[in-house]
Amino acid sequence: MIIQRLFLIAATCAGLSTTAQAADMKKLTVAGGCFWCVEADFEKVKGVKEAVSGFAGGTVANPTYKQVVAGGTGHYEAVQITYDADVVKADTLLNLFFRSVDPLDAGGQFCDRGDSYRTAIFAADPAQKQAAEQAKASAQAALGKPVVTPILPASEFYPADAYHQDYYKQSSLILTRFGPKSKANAYKAYRKACGRDARVKQLWGSDAAFVPGS
């Protein structure tokens, strides 16, 4: 009888522990241009469980990558970040987000132009909206110029296909204009050629997030 009671207590505590951990996991969806880059950046942050590349803010269900970049669906290239709120807070992630993009650019990001590459934050609830507004105000004060990144209501998030997930660390080969390269190496070449880190460093200086040497 005692053993049975101990077993039930242990099982109950384990169940409560699992529930508590699950309750601490939250999601934040942001658009910062190329979703490969945003995913790669935020998966480096302590407390982030995963970052998934996809699409948000549009009017077409289950859009394909080709549909989104062609325009007309209203979607942004976005990344949904799942994080442990006991380890990292939403305001920290949002401040990192602003300092990893060019929030002054209304036409896209870096070499990627067009509506699907614009910046945005999709607020999931009032608390997240307030945190986003505070982070935006902080970014605007730091830059001394109007920040154009909108804070939008959360919308349906559609993950991109497997080809685009974890692109920055895949070893599979693809054909580029420079010949066959792994996706990881193609990603590095693209990021440098697109000028992402250079522009973020120019804009934010020592506060630039995810830029080597900042």
Side-chain angles (χ1 to χ4, degrees), residues 57-69:
T59 57
V60 176
N62 297 307
T64 65
Y65 178 78
K66 287 185 177 180
Q67 284 178 307
V68 172
V69 297

Side-chain angles (χ1 to χ4, degrees), residues 48-131:
V48 170
K49 179 183 178 183
E50 67 172 350
V52 177
S53 291
F55 314 105
T59 57
V60 176
N62 297 307
T64 65
Y65 178 78
K66 287 185 177 180
Q67 284 178 307
V68 172
V69 297
T73 70
H75 288 91
Y76 294 73
E77 280 200 15
V79 170
Q80 189 169 81
I81 302 163
T82 301
Y83 65 98
D84 184 344
D86 283 338
V87 179
V88 63
K89 301 302 182 185
D91 55 356
T92 299
L93 295 174
L94 288 162
N95 281 311
L96 285 172
F97 167 71
F98 275 112
R99 286 155 183 77
S100 66
V101 297
D102 181 352
L104 308 179
D105 188 349
Q109 286 290 284
F110 317 109
C111 68
D112 293 317
R113 314 312 301 164
D115 289 351
S116 64
Y117 294 109
R118 294 171 297 163
T119 60
I121 297 167
F122 297 89
D125 54 44
Q128 205 169 81
K129 180 180 179 182
Q130 182 179 15

Side-chain angles (χ1 to χ4, degrees), residues 118-201:
R118 294 171 297 163
T119 60
I121 297 167
F122 297 89
D125 54 44
Q128 205 169 81
K129 180 180 179 182
Q130 182 179 15
E133 289 172 343
Q134 290 174 345
K136 181 175 179 176
S138 172
Q140 188 158 292
L143 295 174
K145 296 179 180 179
V147 165
V148 299
T149 304
I151 299 169
L152 305 173
S155 64
E156 187 73 26
F157 176 80
Y158 298 100
D161 58 81
Y163 176 88
H164 294 286
Q165 305 301 335
D166 292 323
Y167 194 96
Y168 72 100
K169 58 185 179 184
Q170 287 191 35
S171 60
S172 54
L173 293 177
I174 59 169
L175 185 61
T176 73
R177 59 178 176 168
F178 303 109
K181 284 182 177 290
S182 69
K183 286 184 177 180
N185 286 333
Y187 162 76
K188 291 176 183 177
Y190 154 77
R191 183 163 181 148
K192 183 177 181 179
C194 198
R196 187 182 188 99
D197 292 335
R199 174 56 178 159
V200 170
K201 180 70 173 178

